Amino acid sequence: MNIVILTAAGMGSRMHQDIPKQFIHVDNKPVIAYTMEAFEKHPSIDAIVVVTLTSWKEVLYAYAKQFDISKLALVVDGGETGQESIYNGLKAIEEEYGVENNTVIVHDGNRPLVSTEIISDALATYKHYGSSVAAIPCVEVVFYSEDGIIAGDSVPREKLFRTQTPHVYSLEKLLWAHNEAEQRKIFNTGASCDLMYQLGEKVFFSRGSEENFKITTVDDLTMFKSMLKTRKDEWIK
């Protein structure tokens, strides 16, 4: 099975809103519902697991019913960190479906514009290499700085890539990584690919997109609203 874990347990403090960013409504639909819909419509996805805040679990089930998300299988309590939240989702999948022959696609719940092409390329790269991480090349000039004020050395941008989600691994491999992290006392890694790299695993890139951005600020929310309108206009034409 191809099973998605959507991480949606953050409080969204940078958004300065009363509700978490993944539950903010845009055009009468919460951000997390747009993300679920992207995986709902992909033919290769079998099930969706959302890891979220305990107080929002029932709300998520209600959203799935309202927006016809039939692939939502489990809603799981989040942890204190992103790493812990993913681990909670993995253990829930293991309990529900077992370990063998299960592929896990980890994706940020607040990346609602993930396309069918990105998901397909992530799965294809995983099939070829055994893992995949969506990434895009860095096109800006990048400097290293000790204090955030004075520029130090510039870094060759042609060698820099910004990772996104989805990340795709076998369930067995991800469970191994998180169990190994506990043994080595590796906590609060930024993403599954970061954890894998720290454990000495190779990281293989699949195709990302500038549109596949993560909504973390009000500016991001404004951009998301604008892009939704553009997509609707293109569809109408």
Side-chain angles (χ1 to χ4, degrees), residues 11 22 25 27 57 73 107 135 140 145-146 148 180 197 212:
M11 292 300 296
Q22 58 271 24
H25 278 63
D27 291 348
K57 289 172 66 177
H107 188 70
E140 298 90 354
S145 175
E146 289 281 357
E180 192 71 13
Y197 182 77
N212 183 34

Side-chain angles (χ1 to χ4, degrees), residues 142-216:
V142 178
F143 283 93
Y144 171 81
S145 175
E146 289 281 357
D147 57 10
I149 299 174
I150 300 173
D153 293 335
S154 62
V155 183
R157 61 186 178 183
E158 65 273 11
K159 295 184 179 181
L160 296 178
F161 289 80
R162 292 186 285 136
T163 62
Q164 305 176 326
T165 58
H167 302 167
V168 186
Y169 298 92
S170 69
L171 175 58
E172 182 178 13
K173 190 71 173 182
L174 279 172
L175 285 169
W176 166 83
H178 282 264
N179 289 327
E180 192 71 13
E182 285 192 347
Q183 295 293 322
R184 300 192 195 182
K185 300 188 184 305
I186 300 172
F187 303 111
N188 200 21
T189 52
S192 296
C193 59
D194 183 20
L195 174 57
M196 289 293 186
Y197 182 77
Q198 290 192 42
L199 293 174
E201 298 295 313
K202 289 184 178 180
V203 176
F204 296 96
F205 293 150
S206 60
R207 186 198 318 164
S209 168
E210 292 286 359
E211 289 190 5
N212 183 34
F213 62 91
K214 189 175 182 179
I215 297 176
T216 56

Side-chain angles (χ1 to χ4, degrees), residues 12-18 218:
S13 57
R14 282 177 286 181
M15 192 70 74
H16 304 294
Q17 301 295 313
D18 294 332
V218 174

